[in-house]
Amino acid sequence: MRVPFYRHSLPASSATLVAEVIESGFLTSGQRCSRVEEQLCAIFGTSHAKLTSSWTQGAVAVLLALGIGPGDEVIVPAMTFVATANVVKQVGARPVFVDVEPSTLLIDIALVKAAVTPRTRAVIPVHLYGQMVDIPTLRQALRPEIRIIEDAAHCFEGTRNGRRPGQDSDAAIFSFYATKNVTCGEGGAVVTNDGELAANLKETVLHGMSAAAAQRFSGGRYQHWDVARLGTKANLPDLLAVLLEAQLDTVDERLARREALAQRYEDSLAGTPLGVPTIEPGVVSARHLFPIHVPGGQRDWVMRTLNDQGIGATVNYRSVTELSLYRNDPAVQRHDFPVSLDWGEGTLCLPLFPTLTEEEQDYVLNVLRYEVIPSLTSHAIEERGVAAL
């Protein structure tokens, strides 16, 4: 049997929606984007939403809209996808890494507080694997002028104490990449309650231009535009936005399926040497990925075993500080991040998506149970900073 890492569930009828946009004659950002942005505001309880071409370009546009650039510092966790740090470098600022908590793998707020300097302009907490960082507590640890930009690429459906991404921060940024819980192949979105940021963002997602295509030709006549600030090219076209509308109406039922599958993994692997992050009380995880930690330096062997049996296991993620770009940066202290380093050397993710069948999941579990677990050494996982199942 072959079990892919991910299988999208977009119906064939999605092609009809794309055809409707093509027939309309307007392919770039227009009315279909505006409709999805209204949906996002309703879901997240925010005043503003802006669709973007990716999480990455959305983050660059947000940083530009906030005026963050050369000479500024932005605090990021060492355990995340590399884009979280890269966007800071792309606007000329300096990413300052801190370690994550041993049990949750979320950014360590005490370390954030200790890393703040007079140059700190923002913090990018990452809701890793779908679990939200405690944003109100993070806010209390910072000077009022330091911005909080949530990396919610994994956390579309997540909540903490009933609060959603974007409600207690300056902005939250989502990803609609091909393997995300809500997808249009490539894309993203920013939600915020900050009116000034939202106004600036409308420009920075489109080169800094004061008018998008739909506005430049409003009323049947061409309207002049200006550029007062630096921007990027980050807008999402209607051609992709149209794929999101129906998915936004069904996120809850897909989350319930992902949660059931995740619980099934956890119940079946209880008492084994494998570890997972702890989900804290009051948190509803978006269950974007199902990560496990393999002790004893045997992660790569386990991954090869799963791959050889047709199972799409992958690594999410190695510590950013171990990637060559940052490992070779003399400003980055590699040994300051023991939790991120350990998790990054031992983690892999198992297949998790709504159309994963129990037969497919049983196959994954049987390979783990009969081929992998008997060969694992009996390291004490708790001592390695990972919560045991």
Side-chain angles (χ1 to χ4, degrees):
M1 178 182 291
R2 300 193 66 82
V3 183
F5 177 68
Y6 176 82
R7 183 169 56 230
H8 78 76
S9 53
L10 290 173
S13 58
S14 298
T16 301
L17 300 175
V18 174
E20 290 174 359
V21 175
I22 293 173
E23 291 172 4
S24 76
F26 194 91
L27 305 183
T28 187
S29 307
Q31 292 183 354
R32 304 310 287 261
C33 283
S34 295
R35 281 163 50 174
V36 173
E37 288 164 356
E38 290 175 1
Q39 285 181 285
L40 293 173
C41 286
I43 290 171
F44 293 100
T46 57
S47 304
H48 309 278
K50 189 64 180 175
L51 289 173
T52 61
S53 56
S54 65
W55 181 95
T56 301
Q57 284 303 305
V60 169
V62 167
L63 292 168
L64 291 172
L66 292 172
I68 294 173
D72 296 330
E73 294 177 350
V74 178
I75 298 173
V76 300
M79 176 45 58
T80 182
F81 182 54
V82 68
T84 312
N86 281 357
V87 295
V88 179
K89 291 178 72 73
Q90 286 169 1
V91 299
R94 175 176 174 255
V96 175
F97 294 100
V98 298
D99 210 351
V100 293
E101 297 176 344
S103 60
T104 65
L105 302 174
L106 301 180
I107 196 167
D108 189 316
I109 294 175
L111 295 178
V112 171
K113 187 174 182 178
V116 170
T117 74
R119 291 187 174 185
T120 303
R121 289 288 309 282
V123 179
I124 305 180
V126 178
H127 303 323
L128 195 66
Y129 306 129
Q131 178 172 203
M132 279 188 70
V133 173
D134 188 339
I135 299 300
T137 298
L138 176 61
R139 174 65 75 190
Q140 292 173 5
L142 302 172
R143 298 193 307 265
E145 70 273 16
I146 295 176
R147 303 289 194 146
I148 297 177
I149 304 166
E150 298 174 71
D151 180 342
H154 290 184
C155 198
F156 191 89
E157 308 95 322
T159 63
R160 180 182 280 268
N161 298 322
R163 303 291 287 175
R164 292 183 178 275
Q167 293 184 328
D168 297 308
S169 65
D170 293 282
I173 310 174
F174 302 96
S175 171
F176 301 138
Y177 175 66
T179 59
K180 294 298 188 288
N181 296 7
V182 176
T183 181
C184 59
E186 297 283 356
V190 180
V191 297
T192 181
N193 283 315
D194 185 328
E196 181 180 2
L197 171 57
N200 292 345
L201 186 64
K202 286 182 180 180
E203 297 181 356
T204 58
V205 298
L206 200 63
H207 307 292
M209 297 169 66
S210 59
Q215 288 72 50
R216 294 198 298 274
F217 294 93
S218 62
R221 292 184 176 181
Y222 178 79
Q223 308 292 321
H224 284 297
W225 49 269
D226 193 13
V227 173
R229 68 182 71 251
L230 182 65
T232 184
K233 186 65 165 70
N235 62 305
L236 189 75
D238 278 7
L239 271 173
L240 294 181
V242 74
L243 300 176
L244 298 171
E245 289 184 68
Q247 292 179 74
L248 298 184
D249 292 332
T250 59
V251 289
D252 290 340
E253 61 188 63
R254 292 200 311 280
L255 175 60
R257 175 60 180 165
R258 299 178 81 95
E259 178 63 34
L261 290 167
Q263 288 288 341
R264 200 162 183 265
Y265 271 136
E266 291 179 354
D267 292 344
S268 297
L269 297 175
T272 73
L274 303 175
V276 295
T278 298
I279 296 178
E280 296 185 314
V283 170
V284 173
S285 172
R287 292 292 195 180
H288 170 54
L289 297 170
F290 191 84
I292 61 174
H293 185 276
V294 181
Q298 299 186 76
R299 187 268 309 280
D300 288 357
W301 171 77
V302 172
M303 187 161 56
R304 286 195 301 271
T305 300
L306 292 169
N307 291 166
D308 289 347
Q309 294 298 322
I311 297 168
T314 187
V315 175
N316 303 90
Y317 305 97
R318 295 163 55 203
S319 175
V320 175
T321 58
E322 290 300 287
L323 303 177
S324 295
L325 176 64
Y326 295 97
R327 187 177 67 245
N328 297 329
D329 185 341
V332 176
Q333 301 299 316
R334 289 179 58 207
H335 300 294
D336 286 350
F337 320 105
V339 178
S340 298
L341 289 171
D342 179 71
W343 178 263
E345 291 302 308
T347 188
L348 61 83
C349 287
L350 302 177
L352 179 69
F353 46 89
T355 60
L356 181 70
T357 67
E358 290 192 358
E359 181 183 12
E360 290 173 321
Q361 190 178 35
D362 283 341
Y363 178 69
V364 175
L365 288 167
N366 284 336
V367 172
L368 287 171
R369 187 178 295 117
Y370 299 114
E371 297 191 37
V372 169
I373 291 172
S375 299
L376 294 180
T377 57
S378 57
H379 284 289
I381 296 179
E382 291 89 344
E383 294 178 5
R384 294 173 58 83
V386 182
L389 279 165

